């Protein structure tokens, strides 16, 4: 079982799972684009919501998301993703209060 309260493991979990979920969403969009049942797959919106709070610095979350977009930007563009939204509760310290964080990424 994963410990969400350890600072480094929380950050690694968020990065690993966030990228996995993004790839899964993009794979599904790709399936939809070739399906004649869905002729219009334009202006797509991806929403990622991390339920369990993670211990991480806000700046690291921002940097991770920036790198994720840079790594997969061509595919996001090809699948016409115009907006992504990430919702997560973070703690700055192990015993700190939860801070709800919602980040919007627009094309």
């Amino acid at each position: 079982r994963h410990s969400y309260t350890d600072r480094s493991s929380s950050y690694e979990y968020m990065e690993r799972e966030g990228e996995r979920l993004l790839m899964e969403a993009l794979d599904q969009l790709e399936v939809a684009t070739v399906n004649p049942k869905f002729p219009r797959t334009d202006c797509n919106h991806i929403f990622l919501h991390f339920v369990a709070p993670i211990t991480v610095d806000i700046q690291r979350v921002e940097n991770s998301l920036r790198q994720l977009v840079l790594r997969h930007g061509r595919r996001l563009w090809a699948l016409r993703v115009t907006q992504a939204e990430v919702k997560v509760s973070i703690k700055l310290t192990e015993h700190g209060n939860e801070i709800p964080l919602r980040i919007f990424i627009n094309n």
Side-chain angles (χ1 to χ4, degrees):
R1 189 133 212 194
H2 182 82
S3 168
Y4 298 107
T5 57
D6 175 70
R7 183 179 275 275
S8 63
S9 64
S10 293
Y11 176 71
E12 291 167 7
Y13 170 80
M14 191 254 335
E15 272 193 321
R16 189 174 53 250
E17 288 302 300
E19 187 154 11
R20 184 188 67 77
L21 291 170
L22 177 63
M23 293 299 96
E24 196 173 297
L26 293 179
D27 289 345
Q28 292 303 314
L29 275 174
E30 208 158 27
V31 168
T33 60
V34 296
N35 188 334
K37 187 176 178 181
F38 307 107
R40 294 181 173 228
T41 55
D42 199 15
C43 298
N44 296 300
H45 181 113
I46 294 176
F47 181 77
L48 299 176
H49 182 186
F50 294 89
V51 178
I54 58 173
T55 305
V56 67
D57 182 53
I58 294 172
Q59 189 64 40
R60 289 186 83 177
V61 173
E62 183 182 327
N63 290 337
S64 286
L65 291 172
R66 181 177 290 114
Q67 291 303 314
L68 190 67
V69 170
L70 290 174
R71 267 195 311 275
H72 302 290
R74 285 181 186 228
R75 190 170 180 207
L76 291 162
W77 180 260
L79 292 171
R80 303 178 188 269
V81 175
T82 57
Q83 186 172 17
E85 185 176 340
V86 179
K87 183 179 173 186
V88 63
S89 290
I90 65 169
K91 292 181 178 184
L92 298 178
T93 62
E94 193 173 321
H95 301 290
N97 293 329
E98 287 184 31
I99 303 168
L101 184 62
R102 182 172 272 177
I103 300 171
F104 296 93
I105 303 165
N106 295 305
N107 181 359

